[in-house]
Amino acid sequence: MFVTDDDVAHWELALLPLRGVARLPVLIPLAWHLRQRDSVRAAALAEEALALLPYAGLEPETRSATTARLQLAQAEILWVSGELDAAEALANEAFEVLCGLQDHTGCADAHWLRGWIAVDRGRHEERDQELALCAEAARRGGDEVRALTAEAVMARWAVLRELHSARERWSGHFDAIDPPPGLAAWINDFHAMAASQSSDFGTSASLYIQSHECALQTGQLRCAIIAATNTGEKFSHLNDHHAALEWMQSGLELARRTGWPRNIGACLVHTADTMRRLGRLDAADELLREGLAILGRFEHARVYGIALQYTGDLCLERQDYAGALEAFQLLAGRAEALRQADFQMVARRGQAHALCFLDRPTEALAMAHQAVELSLSHRNVYNHIAALRVLALIHRMHPLRAPDGMTELNASLHYLHRALDLVSTIDGYTVPGDLYETLAAEYARLGDYKQAYEMAQAASKALEKTHSLEATSRAIAMQVHQKTEQARAEGAHHRELAMAEARRAEVLAQSSAMLERLSAIGQEITTHLDAGAVYEVLNRHVHELLSANTFSIYLIDGARLSRAYGVEGGLPLPKNTVPLDHPQAWSARCVRERREVYVDNASFERSVMVTPGTSPSVSALFVPLLLGERVLGVMTVQAMHAGAYGERERLIFRTLCAYGAIALDNANAYRQLQEAQSQLVSQEKLAALGALMAGVAHELNTPIGNSLLIASTLEQKTNELEQQLNGPGLRRSELAGFIADARKASELVMRGLHSAADLVSSFKQVAVDRTTEQRRLFNLQQVTHEIVATMMNRIRAAGHRIEYEVPDAVGMDSYPGPFGQVVTNLINNALLHAFDQREGGNMRLTAQLLVEGRVLVAFSDDGGGIAPENLGRIFDPFFTTKLGQGGSGLGLSISYNIVTTLLGGQISVVSSKGGTTFTLDLPLVAPHQDPARPATIY
């Protein structure tokens, strides 16, 4: 599950010389073990591995298991990044595959990740279940270390629920093993948590430091960050706030480097509490606000409860008692939901403190006694002392009945002395001077000045001891830091020696196999048909094989050379042109003379030879891009030191240029082919729009023609009525008949004109969407109605039927025009292919919401289906079984491209003799479409 940095370093070295599918056996473990060390790189390696898997020739089961393992790595990266929904969905998907394959180790890792996702969601019963299943699956797979790791985490959470039952269950469980560092991180974390809950803060801090070091060594950065903040918290409890702040800042710096929101928020609130203890209330408030804003998405997790606790403590410090009460009441709710005793004690103590100052003594007293009872039942001395001091405060401020068994002058002194007695039971704990000062003030208030003086002296001694112990604690902390840094430096030194030795061996191996490697590189370069990809591959190999501060490719553009690609010092170079007849430019000379130019030690007396604003190179090599008799341009590689390119290096670069020329020429030919295809696709779209217009015009003829016929009939009857009125006279029955005919005629006219208006409106919207392809908010049901309305003429003319069922509440932020193009293409495809010239075919279009943020659109027909041998090719451009019979082979290809790129979804198809169903899985919010430095000798 976790390996040391040495193992990762060996994989990194092993990956360097590998190319193509040969990288896969190293990519997989490296992506897995970098998932927290370097999440961004791990994600990139996982994507590369997934892209290579189809070409690796693996058995289906092995390929599925490997895919699921990589998905687990991606899910963990999403989890630490705070994307809990996406992480859970991907982890569940991988889990189903791994369980189906009986991969017990993989299932254990999936349970592990799902358990931690449950932690951040505040679902602690689910967490315990997942961790228990993780241990069980690991043992079925014969991996005892994985099982013990899960159990160590179960133990640390059990401590927070109930310390003594957790100790009875787990304390001796890990004693008989010599754990590897990855497991040791969690065993130390468990023991540190148990020591903390027993108020043994010195032991707890030491164990957390060990956990932190083991976690760092094994790439468990989240565990390391949490251990750092917990170490700081223990130093705070020992009144060494400066050492605490150092650990908090260490954890925060590590968290900020990762960019993980949950850990950044947690470190901010822990640092805020340390600032509060140091008296820097404004800084504490600022950090708390920032932390709470980040942790809002984790409101059900324990870390949010910690933020509430610290908010309440800060409000008490600032005498904002209403704010404190609100914070501790919220904490009480989280404590009950999480079933964590430390929160329950703190929440009751904090509420009691706030209620005391809000003049609600009875409620305050009840809450304080609950806090005392909880701390007694859990034997938590630290919280017991805090609750006793709150009881003393309540009795000092309010006239209340004395407690049973009181032996002091008043209740306040009674509880303060009980707190003082408990302090002596905490190993390594320094009695805070303010406890003695509170006792002194209370004795003075009662007139017992002798006792007040003794307590004041004790307070002075306690403060001196505190300062002494602070220095001692800092010295111990520095000693621990020195030892750990020394061990870390020694380990890094040994790793560097090993890597240097490996590099030397690698250089020898590369020398003996250079020709073979260049051949493999050439195959990789020439497989790309995109010029940009060719540039990137060439750049990567140039920097792997040669000393290169600058790498550029110039292509001939009329009478000049234009820089098509350029990188200097890892940064892109600006666009640049060089006239082909330039008398001093080495790049132009290289093209004119069709031979390579090598500058071994350049003298830059003439500024014209350097691109303005770029670094002057010392060595430079220019090689023409030759393809037979044609010159495409020139490639150049440049270094900042003299003599960078010997014969071996020039041979390598010459070979790369030859492959580059072939690949760029192929890319240019492919681009021209794509342009031709694009023109055909545009013609297809225009033809579809023209057919749409013709269909709508035909559809309008019926309602408009009927309306004209009825209107002319009504006109004739009106003339007859006028003649009767002006002639012999008009009978009542004739007038009544005319009115009835007029009413019926107007109803028919209105119905026909409304039908025409609806068709025109639908057509207008569809036409606008199709021609502009604008993104907008739209109702899926309305757009579907408009699309179907514009297609009804073709469907009825062919003797078929279509029905649709789309919920009214589905709103989308997407591209209605391209969506309509897809649906139209599916309907046209069914009309052309599905029914084989028979009438009475049925088509159905449905939509349903699935998970949050996605909709499933299905189009089906009851036709003859797609032949199995054609099913895998239907989305290929220009593939059709009706060539010359109305089929262009572009409809489904266009649909596939629209769905998978512009709409950001997926399209799939299932087919049988009973019909075909196309399924579109679309996001409700489509992805947004995205509408340089130095160089060199030229």
Side-chain angles (χ1 to χ4, degrees), residues 34-241:
L34 286 176
R35 62 195 190 277
Q36 287 192 28
R37 284 179 168 92
D38 186 346
S39 296
V40 174
R41 184 154 184 268
L45 293 177
E47 287 293 337
E48 182 183 353
L50 287 169
L52 289 173
L53 273 176
Y55 310 102
L58 300 176
E59 293 295 326
E61 288 190 359
T62 304
R63 178 175 170 182
S64 296
T66 304
T67 301
R69 169 62 64 182
L70 292 168
Q71 286 176 328
L72 272 185
Q74 293 174 319
E76 183 161 337
I77 293 166
L78 290 168
W79 162 59
V80 293
S81 302
E83 303 293 335
L84 301 186
D85 290 339
E88 188 169 29
L90 197 55
N92 290 342
E93 182 180 340
F95 173 75
E96 293 297 330
V97 173
L98 292 165
C99 285
L101 296 171
Q102 296 293 302
D103 184 341
H104 300 302
T105 301
C107 287
D109 289 348
H111 282 302
W112 167 269
L113 178 56
R114 298 204 307 184
W116 281 109
I117 293 171
V119 167
D120 283 356
R121 291 192 182 280
R123 303 196 299 235
H124 288 261
E125 289 185 3
E126 181 180 329
R127 171 206 66 205
D128 293 339
Q129 293 171 1
E130 291 291 346
L131 289 172
L133 290 170
C134 172
E136 180 184 338
R139 286 200 170 91
R140 283 203 303 270
D143 194 325
E144 186 64 17
V145 171
R146 268 181 167 85
L148 288 169
T149 303
E151 288 173 343
V153 177
M154 292 168 64
R156 66 100 65 180
W157 287 109
V159 165
L160 289 172
R161 188 165 54 246
E162 211 291 313
L163 171 63
H164 299 288
S165 61
R167 275 188 159 164
E168 290 175 5
R169 167 69 179 86
W170 297 106
S171 282
H173 188 71
F174 309 103
D175 294 346
I177 60 172
D178 181 19
L183 171 56
W186 292 107
I187 293 177
N188 286 324
D189 179 79
F190 154 61
H191 288 305
M193 187 76 74
S196 174
Q197 293 299 301
S198 301
S199 302
D200 185 0
F201 301 120
T203 300
S204 180
S206 177
L207 288 166
Y208 273 130
I209 290 172
Q210 294 177 52
S211 174
H212 174 76
E213 292 301 321
C214 290
L216 280 179
Q217 185 183 354
T218 53
Q220 301 181 75
L221 295 194
R222 173 160 161 146
C223 177
I225 294 166
I226 294 171
T229 55
N230 283 338
T231 302
E233 186 181 45
K234 298 321 128 190
F235 275 115
S236 280
H237 288 159
L238 289 168
N239 290 324
D240 186 356
H241 303 308

Side-chain angles (χ1 to χ4, degrees), residues 4-22:
T4 64
D5 291 338
D6 290 338
D7 297 313
V8 174
H10 286 306
W11 280 317
E12 291 280 17
L13 281 172
L15 188 66
L16 286 175
L18 301 177
R19 298 293 175 266
V21 175

Side-chain angles (χ1 to χ4, degrees), residues 315-339:
C315 288
L316 289 177
E317 198 90 26
R318 305 185 103 176
Q319 299 182 3
D320 177 9
Y321 300 114
L325 180 61
E326 180 183 2
F328 285 119
Q329 285 174 335
L330 290 171
L331 176 61
R334 294 306 314 134
E336 295 306 318
L338 296 173
R339 294 193 300 151

Side-chain angles (χ1 to χ4, degrees), residues 703-928:
I704 293 175
N706 290 340
S707 298
L708 286 172
L709 177 62
I710 294 166
S712 63
T713 303
L714 184 60
E715 180 184 24
Q716 178 183 348
K717 286 186 175 293
T718 302
N719 290 335
E720 291 174 356
L721 181 69
E722 183 181 11
Q723 290 173 3
Q724 289 175 336
L725 183 63
N726 294 331
L730 183 65
R731 291 196 297 273
R732 181 182 181 87
S733 60
E734 292 173 339
L735 179 60
F738 174 80
I739 291 171
D741 290 342
R743 180 179 292 110
K744 186 173 181 181
S746 63
E747 289 176 356
L748 293 172
V749 168
M750 289 299 292
R751 189 186 309 161
L753 292 178
H754 275 303
S755 176
D758 287 343
L759 280 170
V760 170
S761 176
S762 297
F763 172 69
K764 281 174 62 180
Q765 187 58 61
V766 171
V768 167
D769 286 339
R770 292 282 178 83
T771 55
T772 62
E773 295 191 357
Q774 292 280 332
R775 181 190 186 111
R776 65 180 176 88
L777 297 172
F778 62 90
N779 180 281
L780 183 61
Q781 185 190 65
Q782 180 184 350
V783 167
T784 303
H785 167 74
E786 292 166 353
I787 295 166
V788 172
T790 59
M791 292 295 295
M792 281 305 298
N793 179 58
R794 285 202 62 194
I795 295 169
R796 282 199 296 264
H800 305 304
R801 295 177 60 253
I802 186 170
E803 58 182 28
Y804 62 93
E805 183 178 344
V806 179
D808 182 50
V810 180
M812 298 184 71
D813 177 5
S814 190
Y815 301 88
F819 172 75
Q821 179 71 47
V822 171
V823 174
T824 301
N825 287 350
L826 293 176
I827 294 173
N828 284 332
N829 185 69
L831 293 176
L832 183 62
H833 296 280
F835 304 116
D836 197 23
Q837 299 182 349
R838 72 176 175 86
E839 294 187 358
N842 294 299
M843 293 171 283
R844 181 174 174 80
L845 182 63
T846 63
Q848 60 175 325
L849 289 170
L850 292 180
V851 296
E852 183 178 352
R854 300 194 75 82
V855 63
L856 205 66
V857 178
F859 176 81
S860 59
D861 63 64
D862 60 355
I866 302 170
E869 63 270 18
N870 295 332
L871 199 58
R873 301 179 60 196
I874 60 172
F875 295 122
D876 292 349
F878 306 106
F879 174 76
T880 178
T881 58
K882 298 285 187 178
L883 189 62
Q885 305 173 46
S888 66
L890 286 171
L892 290 182
S893 174
I894 293 171
S895 299
Y896 179 85
N897 289 331
I898 290 173
V899 170
T900 57
T901 56
L902 190 64
L903 302 183
Q906 296 177 332
I907 182 171
S908 59
V909 58
V910 293
S911 185
S912 65
K913 291 185 178 180
T916 301
T917 299
F918 289 87
T919 303
L920 315 181
D921 183 353
L922 303 174
L924 295 178
V925 179
H928 288 276

